Structures are given as C-alpha cells and as structure tokens.
Amino acid sequence: MLERVAFAVAAGCLLGLSSLMVVSLLAPERRLWPAGDDDRKRRVYLAFSRPLLPAVFATGVLDWNAGPLAAPWHIGVGAVGVLAAFAVLSRSAVDLGEDATEGREDELRTDGLYRYTRNPQNVGYVLLFATYAVLANSPLVGALAVAVAVFSVLQVLAEEAWLRDTYGDAYEAYCERVPRFVGLRTLTRALDDD
C-alpha cells in the first residue's frame, strides 16, 4: 500500500513537470522552462522536482523485488548502472554549471560531456531511473522510468526553443555536430578521444 502512495507522489511530480514543459512548448510567450531569473517559475519547477527523487527511491524500496527479474543479476547490473548514472549527472552538472542549468543566460557549453550529447543531464536521469528499476526489480519504478523518459524529451524540446533564441547560429552549429541524446556520433567521438 505504501509503495502506491510513493508511486502516486512520484507520478504526480512527473505529471506536473511534464505539464510545465507542454505549456512552454505550446505557449512560448508564457515559457515556464527554463526558469531563468524568474524566481516564481523556479519555485514552481522545484515544487515538482524536489520530491521526485525521494518518492522514486521510496517506491523502489517499498516495491523491492516485485518484478520478474531473476536475482541476483539484477542487483549487480542495476548497481553498476546507478553508479554510472550518478557519474554522468555529477560530471554534466559541473560541466554546465548552475546558472546555465536554470536557464540564466551564460555561455553556450559545448565541452566536457556536452561534446558527446547536447543533454547529458537528461541522459543521466533516464539512465538513473531505468537502472534503479532494474536494481529494485520494481515494475512501479519501471513505469516511472518511462514517464521520466517522456518528461526528458519534453524538457529538451522546451529548452531547445530557448537555446535557439538565446544562442542563435552558434546553437544551430552545435546541433549539427552533437546529437540530442546519444547516437553513433556520441560513440565514435568517445572512441576517438581515447
């Protein structure tokens, strides 16, 4: 029963966040994301985003091993994936910086992990949720991972409109060089860098 409450909180957060992105896409003059210097927009975003990770974590703990995966392989695969996701998230947050993450005008970042994917934070979050679902062997967390992937696409599309308006030709050139998420160019560039 408690796992359903935690799931409902996480799903509500994702619905709220996705709604913010849809408004930003359909009514750019009322853009809610990125928040930029607007504290009201930032507070609304944080009201949905802050409880999300604890609610997903609680869902996984409470729904632990409710899925079909055979133990113990899911624990090892999931743990490695979660650690990799945290590494991607940590590095991409450092590469981008807080001001740029929140949409305050800054320089266009194209180095670090941003030379492989235009959205390493989104890739990291999708990886985190998907591998946590495997680790916990939780169908509920699996459903949340799908919802996070949908939200991530909406968020990226909302950000891209702002990035085009803010950085113009420099952003367009960046889009031509680097994939939105992860692709063949990501892998070949990573192999060439070694």
Side-chain angles (χ1 to χ4, degrees), residues 90-166:
S90 298
R91 172 70 190 269
S92 60
V94 169
D95 289 345
L96 189 58
E98 183 179 346
D99 284 349
T101 297
E102 293 185 355
R104 295 186 201 110
E105 208 167 316
D106 197 18
E107 67 184 58
L108 180 62
R109 305 295 169 92
T110 61
D111 56 351
L113 292 181
Y114 288 85
R115 70 183 176 265
Y116 305 111
T117 170
R118 297 193 316 258
N119 298 286
Q121 290 183 9
N122 295 81
V123 170
Y125 277 113
V126 171
L127 180 63
L128 175 65
F129 280 71
T131 56
Y132 182 57
V134 172
L135 174 67
N137 190 19
S138 167
L140 293 178
V141 176
L144 292 172
V146 171
V148 165
V150 170
F151 160 70
S152 291
V153 169
L154 292 172
Q155 183 179 37
V156 164
L157 294 174
E159 286 175 352
E160 284 179 350
W162 177 81
L163 288 163
R164 280 188 176 84
D165 289 345
T166 304

Side-chain angles (χ1 to χ4, degrees), residues 19-36:
S19 298
L20 295 175
M21 300 310 130
V22 169
V23 168
S24 297
L25 284 165
L26 298 179
E29 68 282 357
R30 294 184 174 177
R31 178 180 58 81
L32 297 168
W33 183 258

